[in-house]
Amino acid sequence: MARSTPVKKAIRSLTWLVILMAVLAGLNTAASILAGSTKDDSGKWFEGASWVPELALDLQGGTQLTLAAQNTEGGSVTNQQLDQAVNIIRQRINATGVSESQINTQGTNNIVVSIPGKPDKATIDRIEAAAKLTFRPVLYTEAATSSSVGGDSSSSASPTPYSPPASLAATPSAKPSNASDLNWVTPKLQDLYTNYDCKAPDDVTTAPDDEPLVTCDQDGAAKYILGPVEVSGSNISNATSGLATDSQGTSTGQWAVNLSFNGDGTKDFREVTNRLVSLAAPQNQFAIVLDGSVITAPSTNSAITNGKAQITGSFTADSAKTLADQLKYGALPINFQVQSNENISATLGTAQLVGGLVAGLIGLILVIIYSVIQYRALAFVTVLSLGVAGVLTYLVIAIMSWRVDYRLSLAGVAGLIVAIGITADSFIVYFERIRDELRDGRGLESAVESGWKRALRTILASDSINFLAAIVLYILAVSDVKGFAFTLLLTTLIDVVVVVMFTHPMMQIIARSRFFGEGHKFSGLDPAALGAVYRGRAQFRAPVVDGKRQRSAGEAQRRQTIAERKAQQGSVDNGTTPDGKDD
């Protein structure tokens, strides 16, 4: 079996790096082409794909909603309720990633929501939606049909809500024994259900929690008579989406929504499912109602006694996640009335973005100038490494912009500028380790490998500190600072990738070249300038102790670690030369 040489390892690493960059570029190219070209659910995966990263509110402008909070139980809205509403709205908007939105309170009962760009209708509806989420048993259900009540169905005029005659009885003839009892369906309720039009304006009929409700699903495709509320949405502790599994833990390939309830919710849901599982359809269904509309009405297959339920059906990945978000974030403590919905201009705009990019360019030029002065021709490795890091960062940000709704803010741009220094610091550590090895008399190829082992530990330690700082900052911070932390975290990871897969392999390759291997005076690896002159086979003679060489020798001695000094002293005491030979 052929021995793997440093050059072969370097070529292998560079090949994997090229493959990685090609995959990222190919993914973004394919997504940009396919975006909007497919009409089924698969096309939504590429929606909004572009080579241009999305900008945040401070750079692009967006939409501003002013919401007036209203207590559903009467009375004034407390500061605690308003703060909780802000937190849940922020979770709703940021559920798919960093979107750089701004949610703030205004006065005693207003919430101002500022969203970058022009959000789609689904996002606006999610923000504006009232906050009451409940579980009600299904009494009747059927497909919705357009009714002619209140006007000619062939007319272009909008249908009007139906009101049952006042003469019909509105009180049950017998007291219902539970929420699934059909005695809840009074003549007045039955008449409303029969003539109810899901397409009518203000079609959602509200009802107290202890009374039945006539309503439709959110698409207007089915209408229901629902029993009184039995479980409150506030009792949901968590909701997630994922692939369903069978009793053996094997994936069924079907998307599902997993629900977890708190203590009160577990008790209430146990009682409900114990009753519903023994009933015939549609009374074995329970409807999850958000803002008066049914978002889903699954049937009960078994009693849920542990507070952990799974909803399955004709879900896609997106629809399952949407339902999970609605269940998890739907139980706001208050309702909202939209006071205004208007476009806002960028607070910083193009001029500030250009200014930030110019600042980054100046920093990059300074790093290159320093590298040329300090490392001569070796600076080209620095320039190429920074270029590779820049390309990787741009590709990742471009993909994240359309896949997870990431938006680049001015704070994020600042994080990218800081990354130039982080990346350059890794190169400096590595180059200085190589030069230290050369001062000790090693050949360049040996110095590259030995220096890399020592430099890698330092680079990983430094990047680990940056990584942990970015995570803590991201968790504890909000708004713009979170964007800075995110880009710092991203570029720190990319720095490790570039140093391992590009910078080190490049040094392994150029170490074999004549220009660098023989220590040309413009290579940055000149032995004379570093304080050691080679005699071959890793042996060296002491440099001439005069002028600049004397200073270089002194510098090399000062750079020695305690262990190296002890080893050198031990060699002298034993009467051996530094290369291990007897005097």
Side-chain angles (χ1 to χ4, degrees), residues 373-437:
I373 295 173
Q374 182 71 11
Y375 300 111
R376 308 295 174 84
L378 197 60
F380 95 95
V381 178
T382 301
V383 175
L384 290 178
S385 299
L386 287 171
V388 171
V391 171
L392 282 175
T393 302
Y394 187 87
L395 289 173
V396 172
I397 289 178
I399 292 173
M400 293 179 64
S401 290
W402 57 265
R403 189 67 194 103
V404 296
D405 197 27
Y406 173 79
R407 291 179 178 268
L408 187 63
S409 66
L410 193 63
V413 173
L416 297 179
I417 295 173
V418 171
I420 297 175
I422 294 175
T423 306
D425 179 65
S426 298
F427 305 155
I428 292 172
V429 169
Y430 184 26
F431 294 161
E432 288 300 324
R433 287 297 190 186
I434 293 176
R435 297 172 90 173
D436 283 346
E437 296 296 328

Side-chain angles (χ1 to χ4, degrees), residues 495-580:
D495 173 54
V496 176
V497 172
V498 171
V499 171
V500 173
M501 300 184 70
F502 183 81
T503 308
H504 176 50
M506 283 297 296
M507 291 302 302
Q508 289 176 307
I509 291 175
I510 68 174
R512 299 291 300 272
S513 68
R514 182 176 180 181
F515 180 81
F516 287 95
E518 294 184 356
H520 192 280
K521 65 179 180 178
F522 292 118
S523 68
L525 301 172
D526 179 13
L530 296 176
V533 180
Y534 297 110
R535 296 188 304 181
R537 292 292 181 181
Q539 301 176 28
F540 68 94
R541 61 179 171 81
V544 179
V545 184
D546 62 350
K548 181 177 179 181
R549 293 184 180 180
Q550 182 179 12
R551 292 192 298 271
S552 298
E555 180 183 358
Q557 186 176 7
R558 288 194 298 273
R559 287 175 177 269
Q560 287 182 321
T561 64
I562 294 176
E564 289 169 338
R565 291 175 181 174
K566 288 183 177 180
Q568 184 179 24
Q569 184 63 40
S571 298
V572 174
D573 293 342
N574 293 330
T576 60
T577 61
D579 59 2

Side-chain angles (χ1 to χ4, degrees), residues 65 67-69 77-95 101-114 126-127 129 131 329 331-336 478-479:
L65 301 172
L67 309 174
V77 177
T78 66
N79 290 334
Q80 290 78 8
Q81 287 178 320
L82 208 60
D83 291 340
Q84 185 180 353
V86 168
N87 291 332
I88 297 179
I89 289 177
R90 181 177 291 115
Q91 289 175 316
R92 282 179 170 183
I93 295 174
N94 296 337
S101 301
Q102 296 178 4
I103 303 98
N104 302 296
T105 58
Q106 183 184 76
T108 58
N109 69 333
N110 285 347
I111 295 177
V112 179
V113 181
S114 301
R126 176 180 293 187
I127 296 170
Y329 306 130
L332 285 169
I334 49 183
N335 291 336
F336 299 104
V478 295
S479 190

Side-chain angles (χ1 to χ4, degrees), residues 301-494:
N301 297 328
S302 61
I304 307 298
T305 60
N306 61 355
K308 298 184 182 299
Q310 186 177 81
I311 303 174
T312 58
S314 300
F315 289 124
T316 63
D318 287 340
S319 62
K321 186 178 187 312
T322 298
L323 178 58
D325 287 345
Q326 288 175 316
L327 296 174
K328 186 175 182 179
Y329 306 130
L332 285 169
I334 49 183
N335 291 336
F336 299 104
Q337 181 179 356
V338 180
Q339 299 292 312
S340 66
N341 183 340
E342 57 188 5
N343 293 327
I344 56 175
S345 60
T347 56
L348 295 175
T350 305
Q352 282 74 10
L353 176 59
V354 172
L357 295 177
V358 169
L361 180 61
I362 292 174
L364 179 61
I365 292 174
L366 292 175
V367 169
I368 294 174
I369 292 174
Y370 171 82
S371 297
V372 171
I373 295 173
Q374 182 71 11
Y375 300 111
R376 308 295 174 84
L378 197 60
F380 95 95
V381 178
T382 301
V383 175
L384 290 178
S385 299
L386 287 171
V388 171
V391 171
L392 282 175
T393 302
Y394 187 87
L395 289 173
V396 172
I397 289 178
I399 292 173
M400 293 179 64
S401 290
W402 57 265
R403 189 67 194 103
V404 296
D405 197 27
Y406 173 79
R407 291 179 178 268
L408 187 63
S409 66
L410 193 63
V413 173
L416 297 179
I417 295 173
V418 171
I420 297 175
I422 294 175
T423 306
D425 179 65
S426 298
F427 305 155
I428 292 172
V429 169
Y430 184 26
F431 294 161
E432 288 300 324
R433 287 297 190 186
I434 293 176
R435 297 172 90 173
D436 283 346
E437 296 296 328
L438 291 175
R439 291 186 182 96
D440 288 342
R442 293 182 181 273
L444 182 56
E445 292 184 55
S446 176
V448 166
E449 297 304 320
S450 180
W452 170 246
K453 293 177 182 178
R454 299 175 62 188
L456 182 60
R457 293 193 296 267
T458 305
I459 293 171
L460 292 179
S462 175
D463 283 345
S464 296
I465 297 300
N466 289 331
F467 187 80
L468 292 175
I471 290 178
V472 172
L473 193 60
Y474 183 84
I475 293 174
L476 299 180
V478 295
S479 190
D480 291 342
V481 180
K482 189 182 289 285
F484 171 82
F486 186 84
T487 53
L488 181 62
L489 187 151
L490 175 65
T491 51
T492 299
L493 292 176
I494 290 177

